[in-house]
Amino acid sequence: MTSKSRPTLVDTDLCEGWRVVVPLKQPVYGVIRWIGQYEGKEMAGIETDEEAVAGTDGTFNGYRYFNCAPKHAFFVPLVRCLKDRRFYTSLRSMSANGFGSIETPDIDADISPPTSLGHDMICGKNRGIQGHHNSCYLDSMLFSMFYFTPVFDDILYRARRPTDMEPYETVQKVIKDGIVNPLRRNHYVRADKVMKLRELLDKHSSILGMMNEEKDPEEFLVALLGDVMKADPLLHLSSGEHTYFYQLFMEKDDHLLLPTTQRLVEISCLQGNVKFKEVPSCLIIQMPRFGKDYKMYRRIIPSLELDISDILENSPRECNICGRLAEYECKDCYQGAGVPCLNSTAFCTACKERSHQHQTRRKHVQTEISIPSGYLDFIMKNSKMNANNEPEYTVPREKMELFAVICIQTSHYVSFVKCGSGKNAQWVFFDSMADRMGEQSGYNIPQVAPVPDLTHWLSEEKFEQLATTNDDDKHIPEHIRRLLGDAYMCMYQSTDVMRFK
């Protein structure tokens, strides 16, 4: 369509950038993007929150007035537009706090993460946590940590200990009553509530500049969990390190064009000669990238399930050949596998002897696998015996489920979050600064959007397609490109460990 010159703007009580509602039978909500004259009438071009039946991409009768997504431009006489009272009670209330007029009062209660909610309840603008002044790193982490999972709820309820700092209970109340509870019940948290937390962290943690400077998610974890709340470390490593997140360190493999987090975690543990001492309730993995710009791999596929069976210390493993209880590990066999995986390094005694008779494996070095005390007795007592008078059993595998991915692009953090647990749970995309009302004196508008095809794109079915088109992004939806190309942290949880704790 050929664009023509835009008509002259006119003065009106409503201005571009104001949120309005058109009171039709099905009300149309949106933001005014253009006001002007058309055939003697004052008209408004609205970018709508949802697709409109008669919507366009910003054109009207051959003219282009603004740009937006298809079916999200709606043109009506200006007199049909009313201020959206969800946002404006008065100009005075807008300027009183600087964050808009939607109140999010504290809620003093014990509120569990929401379940079985439709997208109409949790998605849309003014959903999630409102961002303000470089807070996106913190907003995306809080949204991921607390909205749909209880994995971090221990810090909301743990009683104060004598060794805790003086403001411990104050910080706990600000998080629980001011942020988590309003998020779980009303699905929105205004920025001033988060500013209270930022002020406390800035004053009482080792991380300076929490009030206004750009920070990274790992700095927030150290400030909140480590310095202020004194939470127990999430991860205990065989090296003796205790930490809240696991940074992937490894040598780059140029032949590995499209790695998964499963593959990268295994490589990092193998090259670093490190194992997990126990199954963590939450495993936060920091991708192999340095700063905001350098990425070791162009794309990384976040594995929907992370199998940590072979990186656990003193945990039963299965022989990769016969499936029986493994007694030896041969790390030299890792690279020899068709598709390298740590499972290929575990052998029972008989299979170890047979497989290492091959001349290419005779110099391999094996180490004994420590089997938990009493595990063999447990197998004998609880297994049926086969015709050869041998116990029939299956060695259990420890798997964790992906529940959030934090992404970064040009210093701006967003998150993909799973709405609950299980394979059928839906995913959403969260941006605390998706839109803005006003200029310097205005405020940010957060948004939560559904991502119904995320699980499909991360499936094994799609893996081969992505691997064969690694340099072609055209067929990949924008949000999936962002997920694969901008992942900064992947967060996994163990529902079994959470239930036990």
Side-chain angles (χ1 to χ4, degrees), residues 330 332-337 354-366:
C330 178
D332 294 327
C333 284
Y334 178 80
Q335 293 296 344
R354 284 195 298 269
S355 65
H356 286 82
Q357 289 178 5
H358 194 280
Q359 60 180 359
T360 61
R361 298 179 180 175
R362 288 176 183 172
K363 294 184 179 181
H364 285 193
V365 177
Q366 299 91 36

Side-chain angles (χ1 to χ4, degrees), residues 259-316:
T260 62
T261 51
Q262 177 75 49
R263 183 81 175 274
L264 294 180
V265 169
E266 291 186 357
I267 293 174
S268 179
C269 288
L270 184 70
Q271 294 183 356
N273 194 30
V274 66
K275 289 183 179 292
F276 299 169
K277 296 187 73 68
E278 62 184 25
V279 180
S281 59
C282 179
L283 175 60
I284 302 176
I285 302 169
Q286 188 170 349
M287 297 297 100
R289 55 186 299 162
F290 305 97
K292 299 176 176 63
D293 300 315
Y294 173 75
K295 296 184 290 187
M296 182 174 287
Y297 294 100
R298 180 169 173 266
R299 291 184 192 155
I300 295 175
I301 295 182
S303 304
L304 291 171
E305 275 192 336
L306 189 70
D307 190 335
I308 62 171
S309 308
D310 300 301
I311 54 177
L312 284 173
E313 187 179 59
N314 301 325
S315 180

